[in-house]
Protein backbone atom coordinates (compact mmCIF):
# COMPACT_ATOMS: atom_id res chain seq x y z
CA UNK A 1 0.00 0.00 0.00
CA UNK A 2 2.89 2.36 0.64
CA UNK A 3 4.00 2.10 -2.96
CA UNK A 4 0.53 2.97 -4.31
CA UNK A 5 0.91 6.80 -4.27
CA UNK A 6 4.33 6.64 -5.87
CA UNK A 7 3.10 4.16 -8.43
CA UNK A 8 0.04 6.31 -9.23
CA UNK A 9 2.25 9.40 -9.51
CA UNK A 10 4.63 7.64 -11.85
CA UNK A 11 1.70 6.32 -13.92
CA UNK A 12 0.19 9.80 -14.23
CA UNK A 13 3.60 11.19 -15.14
CA UNK A 14 3.77 8.64 -17.95
CA UNK A 15 0.23 9.57 -19.12
CA UNK A 16 0.14 13.39 -18.94
CA UNK A 17 -2.95 13.71 -21.14
CA UNK A 18 -5.05 11.89 -18.52
CA UNK A 19 -3.95 14.14 -15.67
CA UNK A 20 -4.46 17.26 -17.81
CA UNK A 21 -7.92 16.07 -18.84
CA UNK A 22 -8.82 15.44 -15.20
CA UNK A 23 -7.69 18.96 -14.31
CA UNK A 24 -9.72 20.43 -17.17
CA UNK A 25 -12.87 18.48 -16.23
CA UNK A 26 -12.56 19.55 -12.59
CA UNK A 27 -12.14 23.17 -13.64
CA UNK A 28 -15.12 22.99 -15.99
CA UNK A 29 -17.26 21.35 -13.30
CA UNK A 30 -16.39 24.10 -10.86
CA UNK A 31 -16.93 26.84 -13.46
CA UNK A 32 -20.64 26.06 -13.98
CA UNK A 33 -21.83 26.84 -10.44
CA UNK A 34 -19.29 29.63 -10.23
CA UNK A 35 -20.92 31.25 -13.27
CA UNK A 36 -24.19 31.54 -11.38
CA UNK A 37 -22.46 32.94 -8.31
CA UNK A 38 -20.55 35.58 -10.26
CA UNK A 39 -23.65 36.60 -12.22
CA UNK A 40 -25.56 37.12 -9.00
CA UNK A 41 -22.74 39.00 -7.30
CA UNK A 42 -21.87 41.06 -10.35
CA UNK A 43 -18.17 40.10 -10.25
CA UNK A 44 -16.42 39.61 -13.58
CA UNK A 45 -19.53 40.60 -15.54
CA UNK A 46 -20.54 43.89 -17.15
CA UNK A 47 -23.14 45.99 -15.44
CA UNK A 48 -26.62 44.71 -16.12
CA UNK A 49 -25.34 41.35 -17.36
CA UNK A 50 -27.86 38.54 -17.61
CA UNK A 51 -27.49 35.22 -15.84
CA UNK A 52 -25.76 32.34 -17.56
CA UNK A 53 -27.62 30.70 -20.42
CA UNK A 54 -26.91 27.67 -22.55
CA UNK A 55 -24.57 29.55 -24.90
CA UNK A 56 -22.69 31.15 -22.06
CA UNK A 57 -22.30 27.89 -20.17
CA UNK A 58 -21.18 26.15 -23.36
CA UNK A 59 -18.49 28.76 -23.97
CA UNK A 60 -17.37 28.64 -20.33
CA UNK A 61 -17.14 24.85 -20.33
CA UNK A 62 -15.30 24.87 -23.67
CA UNK A 63 -12.81 27.43 -22.38
CA UNK A 64 -12.27 25.62 -19.09
CA UNK A 65 -11.64 22.34 -20.93
CA UNK A 66 -8.76 23.94 -22.86
CA UNK A 67 -6.10 22.95 -20.26
CA UNK A 68 -6.63 19.33 -21.39
CA UNK A 69 -4.36 20.19 -24.34
CA UNK A 70 -2.00 22.46 -22.42
CA UNK A 71 1.08 20.31 -23.15
CA UNK A 72 0.40 19.95 -26.86
CA UNK A 73 -1.20 23.25 -27.93
CA UNK A 74 -0.79 25.65 -25.02
CA UNK A 75 -0.54 28.86 -27.01
CA UNK A 76 -3.53 27.97 -29.19
CA UNK A 77 -5.57 27.11 -26.10
CA UNK A 78 -4.58 30.42 -24.45
CA UNK A 79 -5.72 32.31 -27.53
CA UNK A 80 -8.98 30.32 -27.48
CA UNK A 81 -9.61 31.21 -23.82
CA UNK A 82 -9.03 34.88 -24.59
CA UNK A 83 -11.46 34.76 -27.50
CA UNK A 84 -14.07 33.05 -25.31
CA UNK A 85 -13.62 35.68 -22.58
CA UNK A 86 -13.95 38.50 -25.12
CA UNK A 87 -17.03 36.86 -26.61
CA UNK A 88 -18.69 36.48 -23.23
CA UNK A 89 -17.85 40.07 -22.37
CA UNK A 90 -19.39 41.25 -25.65
CA UNK A 91 -22.53 39.22 -24.78
CA UNK A 92 -22.63 40.71 -21.28
CA UNK A 93 -21.94 37.33 -19.74
CA UNK A 94 -19.64 36.41 -16.85
CA UNK A 95 -16.36 34.67 -17.67
CA UNK A 96 -16.59 32.53 -14.53
CA UNK A 97 -13.26 30.62 -14.01
CA UNK A 98 -11.82 31.22 -17.46
CA UNK A 99 -9.16 33.40 -15.87
CA UNK A 100 -7.96 30.31 -13.93
CA UNK A 101 -7.64 28.39 -17.20
CA UNK A 102 -5.66 31.31 -18.63
CA UNK A 103 -3.30 31.25 -15.63
CA UNK A 104 -2.73 27.51 -16.05
CA UNK A 105 -1.92 27.96 -19.74
CA UNK A 106 0.43 30.92 -19.13
CA UNK A 107 2.33 28.88 -16.53
CA UNK A 108 2.51 25.88 -18.89
CA UNK A 109 3.88 27.97 -21.75
CA UNK A 110 6.48 29.61 -19.49
CA UNK A 111 7.57 26.24 -18.08
CA UNK A 112 7.60 24.25 -21.35
CA UNK A 113 8.25 26.64 -24.22
CA UNK A 114 11.03 28.97 -25.28
CA UNK A 115 11.48 32.50 -24.05
CA UNK A 116 10.06 34.16 -27.17
CA UNK A 117 6.83 32.17 -27.16
CA UNK A 118 6.39 32.53 -23.40
CA UNK A 119 6.81 36.31 -23.69
CA UNK A 120 4.16 36.37 -26.42
CA UNK A 121 1.81 34.42 -24.15
CA UNK A 122 2.47 36.82 -21.27
CA UNK A 123 1.84 39.88 -23.45
CA UNK A 124 -1.33 38.32 -24.88
CA UNK A 125 -2.72 37.45 -21.46
CA UNK A 126 -1.85 40.86 -19.99
CA UNK A 127 -3.47 42.52 -23.00
CA UNK A 128 -6.70 40.67 -22.28
CA UNK A 129 -6.54 41.75 -18.64
CA UNK A 130 -5.86 45.35 -19.63
CA UNK A 131 -8.82 45.41 -21.99
CA UNK A 132 -11.12 43.95 -19.34
CA UNK A 133 -9.81 46.38 -16.70
CA UNK A 134 -10.33 49.40 -18.99
CA UNK A 135 -13.84 48.36 -20.04
CA UNK A 136 -14.95 47.41 -16.51
CA UNK A 137 -17.39 49.91 -15.03
CA UNK A 138 -17.02 48.77 -11.45
CA UNK A 139 -13.74 49.77 -9.71
CA UNK A 140 -13.84 46.45 -7.88
CA UNK A 141 -13.82 44.59 -11.20
CA UNK A 142 -10.84 46.66 -12.37
CA UNK A 143 -9.02 45.80 -9.18
CA UNK A 144 -9.85 42.12 -9.68
CA UNK A 145 -8.53 42.16 -13.23
CA UNK A 146 -5.35 43.92 -12.12
CA UNK A 147 -4.95 41.26 -9.41
CA UNK A 148 -5.32 38.53 -12.06
CA UNK A 149 -2.68 40.35 -14.16
CA UNK A 150 -0.34 40.30 -11.15
CA UNK A 151 -1.00 36.56 -10.70
CA UNK A 152 -0.30 36.07 -14.39
CA UNK A 153 3.12 37.70 -14.12
CA UNK A 154 3.90 35.77 -10.93
CA UNK A 155 3.01 32.42 -12.48
CA UNK A 156 4.95 33.32 -15.63
CA UNK A 157 8.06 34.00 -13.54
CA UNK A 158 7.52 30.76 -11.63
CA UNK A 159 7.14 28.84 -14.89
CA UNK A 160 10.35 30.32 -16.27
CA UNK A 161 12.12 29.33 -13.05
CA UNK A 162 10.86 25.76 -13.40
CA UNK A 163 12.04 25.65 -17.01
CA UNK A 164 15.49 26.98 -16.11
CA UNK A 165 15.75 24.46 -13.28
CA UNK A 166 14.80 21.62 -15.62
CA UNK A 167 17.37 22.79 -18.14
CA UNK A 168 19.99 23.00 -15.38
CA UNK A 169 19.20 19.50 -14.13
CA UNK A 170 19.22 18.17 -17.70
CA UNK A 171 22.63 19.76 -18.23
CA UNK A 172 23.88 18.19 -15.00
CA UNK A 173 22.62 14.77 -16.10
CA UNK A 174 24.17 15.22 -19.52
CA UNK A 175 27.46 16.33 -17.98
CA UNK A 176 27.40 13.37 -15.60
CA UNK A 177 26.74 11.08 -18.55
CA UNK A 178 29.64 12.60 -20.48
CA UNK A 179 31.93 12.26 -17.48
CA UNK A 180 30.86 8.65 -17.01
CA UNK A 181 31.52 7.90 -20.67
CA UNK A 182 34.88 9.67 -20.47
CA UNK A 183 35.75 7.70 -17.34
CA UNK A 184 34.85 4.44 -19.07
CA UNK A 185 36.92 5.44 -22.11
CA UNK A 186 39.88 6.29 -19.85
CA UNK A 187 39.45 2.97 -18.08
CA UNK A 188 39.43 1.09 -21.37
CA UNK A 189 42.50 3.01 -22.54
CA UNK A 190 44.29 2.29 -19.26
CA UNK A 191 43.44 -1.39 -19.52
CA UNK A 192 44.65 -1.52 -23.11
CA UNK A 193 47.88 0.23 -22.13
CA UNK A 194 48.36 -2.16 -19.22
CA UNK A 195 47.76 -5.18 -21.46
CA UNK A 196 50.28 -3.80 -23.95
CA UNK A 197 52.81 -3.24 -21.16
CA UNK A 198 52.33 -6.77 -19.81
CA UNK A 199 52.64 -8.17 -23.33
CA UNK A 200 55.95 -6.34 -23.77
CA UNK A 201 57.20 -7.55 -20.40
CA UNK A 202 56.24 -11.16 -21.17
CA UNK A 203 57.84 -10.98 -24.59
CA UNK A 204 61.09 -9.62 -23.18
CA UNK A 205 61.21 -12.22 -20.41
CA UNK A 206 60.27 -15.19 -22.59
CA UNK A 207 62.43 -14.16 -25.54
CA UNK A 208 65.51 -13.64 -23.39
CA UNK A 209 65.28 -16.76 -21.25
CA UNK A 210 64.13 -19.07 -24.02
CA UNK A 211 66.96 -17.86 -26.27
CA UNK A 212 69.52 -18.51 -23.54
CA UNK A 213 67.99 -21.92 -22.80
CA UNK A 214 68.04 -22.78 -26.49
CA UNK A 215 71.73 -21.92 -26.77
CA UNK A 216 72.52 -23.91 -23.62
CA UNK A 217 70.52 -26.89 -24.87
CA UNK A 218 72.33 -26.79 -28.19
CA UNK A 219 75.69 -26.71 -26.40
CA UNK A 220 74.65 -29.59 -24.15
CA UNK A 221 73.60 -31.66 -27.14
CA UNK A 222 76.92 -31.13 -28.90
CA UNK A 223 79.06 -32.12 -25.90
CA UNK A 224 76.77 -34.74 -24.38
CA UNK A 225 78.84 -37.69 -25.67
CA UNK A 226 82.30 -36.19 -25.29
CA UNK A 227 81.96 -34.00 -22.21
CA UNK A 228 79.23 -35.20 -19.82
CA UNK A 229 80.31 -32.75 -17.12
CA UNK A 230 79.94 -29.82 -19.52
CA UNK A 231 76.56 -31.09 -20.64
CA UNK A 232 75.50 -31.41 -17.02
CA UNK A 233 76.52 -27.81 -16.35
CA UNK A 234 74.57 -26.66 -19.38
CA UNK A 235 71.49 -28.54 -18.22
CA UNK A 236 71.85 -27.02 -14.76
CA UNK A 237 72.02 -23.58 -16.36
CA UNK A 238 68.87 -24.37 -18.35
CA UNK A 239 67.10 -25.44 -15.17
CA UNK A 240 68.14 -22.29 -13.35
CA UNK A 241 67.17 -20.11 -16.30
CA UNK A 242 63.75 -21.78 -16.47
CA UNK A 243 63.11 -21.12 -12.80
CA UNK A 244 64.14 -17.51 -13.20
CA UNK A 245 61.84 -17.11 -16.19
CA UNK A 246 58.92 -18.62 -14.30
CA UNK A 247 59.53 -16.34 -11.32
CA UNK A 248 59.66 -13.24 -13.51
CA UNK A 249 56.52 -14.25 -15.37
CA UNK A 250 54.70 -14.83 -12.10
CA UNK A 251 55.68 -11.33 -10.98
CA UNK A 252 54.47 -9.78 -14.23
CA UNK A 253 51.19 -11.66 -14.40
CA UNK A 254 50.67 -10.99 -10.69
CA UNK A 255 49.52 -7.46 -11.48
CA UNK A 256 46.41 -8.99 -13.03
CA UNK A 257 45.40 -10.63 -9.76
CA UNK A 258 43.10 -8.41 -7.75
CA UNK A 259 43.61 -10.47 -4.59
CA UNK A 260 47.41 -10.18 -4.60
CA UNK A 261 48.83 -7.96 -1.90
CA UNK A 262 51.48 -5.42 -2.95
CA UNK A 263 53.94 -6.95 -0.53
CA UNK A 264 53.77 -10.26 -2.38
CA UNK A 265 55.19 -8.80 -5.58
CA UNK A 266 58.92 -8.64 -6.05
CA UNK A 267 60.42 -5.38 -7.33
CA UNK A 268 60.97 -5.06 -11.07
CA UNK A 269 64.55 -5.37 -12.33
CA UNK A 270 66.58 -2.30 -13.08
CA UNK A 271 70.11 -1.05 -13.75
CA UNK A 272 71.40 -2.73 -10.58
CA UNK A 273 70.49 -6.14 -12.06
CA UNK A 274 72.33 -5.57 -15.36
CA UNK A 275 75.59 -7.15 -14.05
CA UNK A 276 73.67 -10.34 -13.22
CA UNK A 277 72.15 -10.25 -16.69
CA UNK A 278 75.61 -9.89 -18.24
CA UNK A 279 76.84 -12.88 -16.22
CA UNK A 280 73.96 -14.95 -17.56
CA UNK A 281 74.90 -14.02 -21.12
CA UNK A 282 78.51 -14.99 -20.50
CA UNK A 283 77.39 -18.36 -19.20
CA UNK A 284 75.30 -18.76 -22.33
CA UNK A 285 78.40 -18.24 -24.50
CA UNK A 286 78.22 -14.55 -25.44
CA UNK A 287 81.43 -12.80 -24.44
CA UNK A 288 80.09 -9.62 -22.88
CA UNK A 289 81.76 -6.65 -21.25
CA UNK A 290 79.96 -4.11 -19.09
CA UNK A 291 80.71 -0.50 -18.16
CA UNK A 292 78.47 1.46 -15.80
CA UNK A 293 79.74 5.01 -15.70
CA UNK A 294 78.74 8.38 -14.33
CA UNK A 295 77.44 9.54 -11.02
CA UNK A 296 75.37 7.33 -8.77
CA UNK A 297 71.73 8.31 -8.43
CA UNK A 298 68.31 6.82 -8.24
CA UNK A 299 66.43 6.56 -11.50
CA UNK A 300 62.68 6.83 -12.05
CA UNK A 301 61.22 3.31 -11.77
CA UNK A 302 59.91 3.32 -15.32
CA UNK A 303 63.23 4.42 -16.81
CA UNK A 304 65.08 1.93 -14.60
CA UNK A 305 62.99 -0.95 -15.91
CA UNK A 306 63.14 0.31 -19.51
CA UNK A 307 66.95 0.39 -19.42
CA UNK A 308 67.10 -3.17 -18.08
CA UNK A 309 64.68 -4.45 -20.73
CA UNK A 310 66.57 -2.62 -23.46
CA UNK A 311 69.86 -4.25 -22.47
CA UNK A 312 68.14 -7.61 -22.07
CA UNK A 313 66.53 -7.49 -25.52
CA UNK A 314 69.70 -6.21 -27.21
CA UNK A 315 71.92 -8.92 -25.65
CA UNK A 316 69.31 -11.59 -26.48
CA UNK A 317 69.38 -10.50 -30.12
CA UNK A 318 73.17 -10.60 -30.08
CA UNK A 319 73.12 -14.10 -28.61
CA UNK A 320 70.68 -15.29 -31.26
CA UNK A 321 72.05 -13.54 -34.34
CA UNK A 322 75.65 -12.42 -33.84
CA UNK A 323 77.24 -15.86 -34.12
CA UNK A 324 79.17 -18.20 -31.82
CA UNK A 325 82.37 -16.11 -31.73
CA UNK A 326 80.70 -12.73 -31.26
CA UNK A 327 81.51 -10.28 -28.53
CA UNK A 328 79.20 -7.69 -27.00
CA UNK A 329 79.76 -4.46 -25.11
CA UNK A 330 77.27 -2.78 -22.80
CA UNK A 331 77.76 0.81 -21.68
CA UNK A 332 75.43 2.59 -19.25
CA UNK A 333 76.42 6.19 -18.59
CA UNK A 334 74.48 8.50 -16.31
CA UNK A 335 75.12 12.18 -16.87
CA UNK A 336 73.40 15.32 -15.57
CA UNK A 337 70.02 15.39 -17.28
CA UNK A 338 70.60 12.31 -19.42
CA UNK A 339 71.09 8.56 -19.28
CA UNK A 340 72.87 6.94 -22.24
CA UNK A 341 72.65 3.21 -22.92
CA UNK A 342 74.62 1.50 -25.68
CA UNK A 343 74.75 -2.19 -26.55
CA UNK A 344 77.07 -3.31 -29.39
CA UNK A 345 78.28 -6.56 -30.86
CA UNK A 346 80.74 -7.41 -33.60
CA UNK A 347 78.32 -9.52 -35.58
CA UNK A 348 80.03 -12.27 -37.51
CA UNK A 349 83.36 -11.26 -36.10
CA UNK A 350 84.64 -8.66 -38.53
CA UNK A 351 82.24 -6.49 -40.37
CA UNK A 352 80.48 -9.26 -42.19
CA UNK A 353 76.90 -8.48 -43.05
CA UNK A 354 74.31 -11.08 -42.49
CA UNK A 355 72.10 -11.76 -39.58
CA UNK A 356 73.22 -8.56 -37.90
CA UNK A 357 71.61 -6.58 -40.69
CA UNK A 358 68.33 -8.42 -40.44
CA UNK A 359 67.31 -8.28 -36.81
CA UNK A 360 63.65 -7.36 -36.67
CA UNK A 361 60.74 -8.46 -34.60
CA UNK A 362 58.38 -7.53 -31.79
CA UNK A 363 61.22 -7.11 -29.30
CA UNK A 364 62.75 -4.13 -31.05
CA UNK A 365 59.30 -2.63 -31.55
CA UNK A 366 58.73 -2.95 -27.82
CA UNK A 367 62.09 -1.27 -27.17
CA UNK A 368 61.09 1.66 -29.36
CA UNK A 369 57.82 1.99 -27.44
CA UNK A 370 59.61 1.91 -24.10
CA UNK A 371 62.12 4.58 -25.08
CA UNK A 372 59.45 6.78 -26.68
CA UNK A 373 57.26 6.47 -23.58
CA UNK A 374 59.89 8.31 -21.53
CA UNK A 375 60.81 10.85 -24.20
CA UNK A 376 64.05 9.16 -25.19
CA UNK A 377 65.90 8.87 -28.48
CA UNK A 378 66.70 5.44 -29.94
CA UNK A 379 68.95 4.28 -32.75
CA UNK A 380 68.98 0.64 -33.85
CA UNK A 381 71.04 -0.61 -36.75
CA UNK A 382 74.33 -1.99 -38.09
CA UNK A 383 77.65 -0.56 -36.98
CA UNK A 384 79.93 0.93 -39.67
CA UNK A 385 82.75 -1.40 -38.63
CA UNK A 386 80.45 -4.42 -38.61
CA UNK A 387 78.04 -5.87 -36.15
CA UNK A 388 74.97 -4.29 -34.62
CA UNK A 389 74.22 -1.65 -32.05
CA UNK A 390 71.32 -0.37 -29.95
CA UNK A 391 71.85 3.19 -28.74
CA UNK A 392 69.35 5.00 -26.51
CA UNK A 393 69.29 8.25 -24.59
CA UNK A 394 66.78 8.99 -21.83
CA UNK A 395 66.21 12.53 -20.54
CA UNK A 396 66.44 12.77 -16.76
CA UNK A 397 65.52 15.38 -14.24
CA UNK A 398 68.25 16.33 -11.84
CA UNK A 399 68.22 13.85 -8.94
Amino acid sequence: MRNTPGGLRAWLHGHPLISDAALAVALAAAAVPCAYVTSLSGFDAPAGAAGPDALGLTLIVAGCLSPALRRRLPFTMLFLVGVVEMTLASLDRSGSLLWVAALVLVYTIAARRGLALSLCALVLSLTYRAVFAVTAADPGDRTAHLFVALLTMTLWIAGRGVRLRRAYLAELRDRAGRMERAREADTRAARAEERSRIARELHDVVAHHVSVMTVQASAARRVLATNPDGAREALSAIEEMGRTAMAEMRNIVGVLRTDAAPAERNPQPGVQEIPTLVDQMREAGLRTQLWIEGREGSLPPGVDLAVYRLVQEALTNSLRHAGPQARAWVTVRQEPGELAVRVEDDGQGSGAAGPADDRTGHGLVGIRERVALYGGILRIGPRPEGGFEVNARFPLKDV
Side-chain angles (χ1 to χ4, degrees):
M1 296 298 294
R2 293 182 179 179
N3 294 331
T4 301
L8 178 61
R9 190 181 300 110
W11 185 83
L12 290 176
H13 182 74
H15 301 80
L17 184 59
I18 295 178
S19 59
D20 292 343
L23 172 64
V25 170
L27 182 61
V32 173
C34 186
Y36 287 97
V37 175
T38 54
S39 64
L40 293 176
S41 63
F43 173 74
D44 195 24
D53 56 5
L55 176 60
L57 291 177
T58 301
L59 290 176
I60 290 173
V61 170
C64 289
L65 288 176
S66 61
L69 299 177
R70 69 187 185 95
R71 299 176 193 263
R72 296 186 178 181
L73 301 170
F75 194 84
T76 303
M77 293 298 101
L78 178 63
F79 182 77
L80 176 62
V81 170
V83 171
V84 170
E85 284 193 278
M86 297 290 289
T87 302
L88 289 172
S90 65
L91 296 176
D92 294 335
R93 299 291 189 271
S94 170
S96 187
L97 297 182
L98 288 175
W99 62 276
V100 178
L103 290 178
V104 172
L105 293 170
V106 168
Y107 172 82
T108 301
I109 295 174
R112 295 184 174 274
R113 295 296 186 268
L115 179 60
L117 188 59
S118 65
L119 283 174
C120 291
L122 177 63
V123 171
L124 180 63
S125 182
L126 292 179
T127 301
Y128 287 146
R129 294 302 126 199
V131 171
F132 295 144
V134 170
T135 58
D138 187 3
D141 291 345
R142 287 196 293 270
T143 302
H145 286 300
L146 291 177
F147 177 73
V148 173
L150 180 61
L151 282 179
T152 301
M153 295 186 63
T154 301
L155 287 178
W156 183 87
I157 294 173
R160 290 306 301 172
V162 170
R163 178 174 175 82
L164 293 176
R165 178 175 176 80
R166 287 174 180 169
Y168 175 71
L169 293 178
E171 175 63 23
L172 288 181
R173 287 192 294 270
D174 182 66
R175 184 182 303 175
R178 291 197 303 269
M179 293 179 64
E180 180 65 19
R181 290 190 295 271
R183 186 186 67 81
E184 293 176 355
D186 292 342
T187 301
R188 289 193 297 268
R191 288 175 179 173
E193 182 180 355
E194 183 67 10
R195 285 195 296 267
S196 177
R197 186 190 69 81
I198 292 173
R200 289 196 302 268
E201 294 292 332
L202 287 175
H203 173 273
D204 293 343
V205 170
V206 173
H208 167 70
H209 290 90
V210 171
S211 296
V212 175
M213 292 166 65
T214 301
V215 172
Q216 294 282 12
S218 177
R221 179 180 55 81
R222 287 196 300 267
V223 301
L224 181 60
T226 59
N227 188 2
D229 293 337
R232 188 178 299 108
E233 293 178 1
L235 293 175
S236 298
I238 293 173
E239 179 183 6
E240 181 65 24
M241 192 64 62
R243 290 176 178 174
T244 303
M246 291 299 297
E248 287 198 42
M249 284 190 291
R250 278 195 298 268
N251 292 335
I252 294 171
V253 179
V255 300
L256 300 177
R257 294 173 54 89
T258 58
D259 58 344
E264 296 175 357
R265 301 173 188 165
N266 294 331
Q268 293 282 18
V271 174
Q272 300 299 324
E273 283 72 30
I274 290 180
T276 303
L277 175 64
V278 169
D279 291 339
Q280 292 177 355
M281 303 309 295
R282 289 170 181 165
E283 293 177 1
L286 179 64
R287 294 178 294 172
T288 308
Q289 293 179 285
L290 171 65
W291 293 273
I292 298 181
E293 304 173 353
R295 62 174 183 169
E296 296 290 336
S298 61
L299 297 174
V303 174
D304 202 21
L305 176 61
V307 171
Y308 179 86
R309 294 303 185 199
L310 184 149
V311 175
Q312 184 183 56
E313 180 65 27
L315 290 179
T316 301
N317 280 335
S318 297
L319 179 66
R320 294 170 58 188
H321 300 288
Q325 302 301 321
R327 294 174 300 173
W329 300 271
V330 179
T331 304
V332 179
R333 180 182 297 109
Q334 184 174 351
E335 301 174 353
E338 185 179 71
L339 178 67
V341 182
R342 187 172 186 177
V343 182
E344 305 171 89
D345 64 58
D346 57 5
Q348 294 299 309
S350 60
D357 297 325
D358 192 28
R359 304 182 195 180
T360 59
H362 296 289
L364 296 183
V365 173
I367 291 299
R368 292 186 187 277
E369 292 178 354
R370 287 181 186 276
V371 176
L373 180 63
Y374 298 101
I377 301 173
L378 177 67
R379 178 188 177 278
I380 300 177
R383 301 168 63 216
E385 60 272 25
F388 201 80
E389 76 170 346
V390 177
N391 194 347
R393 294 181 178 274
F394 296 88
L396 297 177
K397 295 181 180 180
D398 293 336
V399 293

